[in-house]
């Protein structure tokens, strides 16, 4: 049985880091990255804890083991993870439904990952719906960015309710897709 909840303990945060580490491109084959997806950003414990203290991350657990997570990141962490600064800059300058994104009250999924053992069981969708339940009262939108070569993740995000906001090429040549889910149109869905 896999349960979905808000992260509450240092042990759970360490479980997030362990799952993240296993799914970095350097730790999986190119074939696995293409077929199963991957994560890009490396979070250290301190920043993960600061983010969690602000807005708790969504986690999936099987017993005591973290088997999935959706990181919660508010605008105040915009400059704390240098690799994400371009994402925030690109998002904030975009117009969405007639308003600049920076003028919305939004939250960012700093990363999402599901363990191999938990894939294909609806964990991804359940975590995002828990995210919506936890944060849609305060936030209108949730945004995240996905490497365009991570097609499994893009398809999963579309399935949950995200749509493309913008595509851009980073300085390192990686193509990114910033996606948005407007919770104002799906509350109670």
């Amino acid at each position: 049985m896999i349960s979905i909840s808000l992260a509450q303990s240092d042990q759970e945060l360490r479980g997030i880091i362990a799952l993240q580490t296993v799914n970095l491109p350097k730790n999986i084959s190119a074939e696995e990255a293409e077929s199963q997806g991957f994560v890009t950003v490396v979070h250290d414990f301190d920043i993960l804890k600061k983010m969690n203290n602000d807005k708790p991350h969504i986690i999936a657990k099987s017993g005591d083991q973290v088997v999935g997570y959706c990181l919660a990141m508010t605008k105040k962490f915009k400059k704390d993870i240098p690799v994400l600064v371009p994402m925030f800059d690109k998002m904030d300058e975009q117009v969405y439904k007639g308003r600049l994104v920076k003028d919305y009250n939004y939250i960012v999924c700093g990363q999402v990952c599901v363990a191999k053992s938990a894939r294909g069981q609806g964990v991804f969708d359940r975590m995002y719906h828990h995210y919506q339940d936890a944060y849609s009262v305060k936030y209108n939108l949730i945004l995240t960015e996905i490497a365009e070569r991570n097609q499994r993740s893009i398809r999963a995000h579309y399935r949950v309710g995200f749509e493309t906001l913008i595509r851009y090429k980073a300085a390192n040549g990686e193509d990114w897709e910033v996606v948005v889910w407007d919770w104002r149109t799906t509350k109670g869905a």
Side-chain angles (χ1 to χ4, degrees), residues 52-184:
N52 198 67
N53 288 342
D54 184 45
K55 295 288 179 255
H57 308 302
I58 308 302
I59 58 170
K61 289 177 75 175
S62 178
D64 288 336
Q65 184 176 2
V66 173
V67 295
Y69 63 83
C70 281
L71 301 184
M73 180 182 232
T74 60
K75 294 178 190 181
K76 74 165 86 174
F77 294 97
K78 180 178 186 171
K79 304 286 184 194
D80 290 353
I81 302 174
V83 73
L84 295 182
V85 170
M87 173 192 72
F88 277 100
D89 290 345
K90 293 284 184 191
M91 283 183 340
D92 282 346
E93 67 188 22
Q94 298 308 306
V95 174
Y96 179 72
K97 295 188 178 179
R99 291 172 52 193
L100 286 172
V101 169
K102 71 178 181 180
D103 294 334
Y104 283 94
N105 196 14
Y106 69 80
I107 193 165
V108 170
C109 176
Q111 189 173 79
V112 59
C113 185
V114 177
K116 291 177 197 175
S117 64
R119 292 180 189 156
Q121 300 176 49
V123 172
F124 183 95
D125 297 44
R126 288 176 57 211
M127 286 192 304
Y128 263 122
H129 287 290
H130 194 92
Y131 208 128
Q132 181 184 28
D133 290 344
Y135 297 121
S136 65
V137 170
K138 181 169 183 175
Y139 299 98
N140 306 125
L141 310 174
I142 182 172
L143 296 108
T144 195
E145 77 173 349
I146 310 160
E148 285 194 0
R149 60 191 170 98
N150 195 344
Q151 286 296 304
R152 180 182 177 116
S153 182
I154 288 172
R155 287 189 306 272
H157 280 84
Y158 288 165
R159 182 183 67 238
V160 171
F162 284 85
E163 60 183 307
T164 300
L165 177 66
I166 185 174
R167 291 180 175 93
Y168 74 96
K169 185 178 290 292
N172 67 359
E174 183 82 59
D175 291 314
W176 292 95
E177 188 165 330
V178 177
V179 294
V180 57
W181 182 9
D182 188 342
W183 284 336
R184 299 167 306 164

Side-chain angles (χ1 to χ4, degrees), residues 11-29 32-33 36-49 51 57-60 65-73 81 83-84 109-116 119 127 144 150:
Q11 179 183 345
E12 290 170 337
L13 297 179
R14 286 186 187 89
I16 289 171
I17 291 172
L19 183 55
Q20 178 183 81
T21 301
V22 169
N23 288 281
L24 290 167
K26 68 180 183 178
N27 296 326
I28 58 177
S29 69
E32 185 176 351
Q36 296 297 306
F38 55 91
V39 296
T40 305
V41 179
V42 177
H43 297 82
D44 67 35
F45 182 82
D46 290 339
I47 191 67
L48 202 63
K49 186 169 178 89
M51 289 166 52
H57 308 302
I58 308 302
I59 58 170
Q65 184 176 2
V66 173
V67 295
Y69 63 83
C70 281
L71 301 184
M73 180 182 232
I81 302 174
V83 73
L84 295 182
C109 176
Q111 189 173 79
V112 59
C113 185
V114 177
K116 291 177 197 175
R119 292 180 189 156
M127 286 192 304
T144 195
N150 195 344

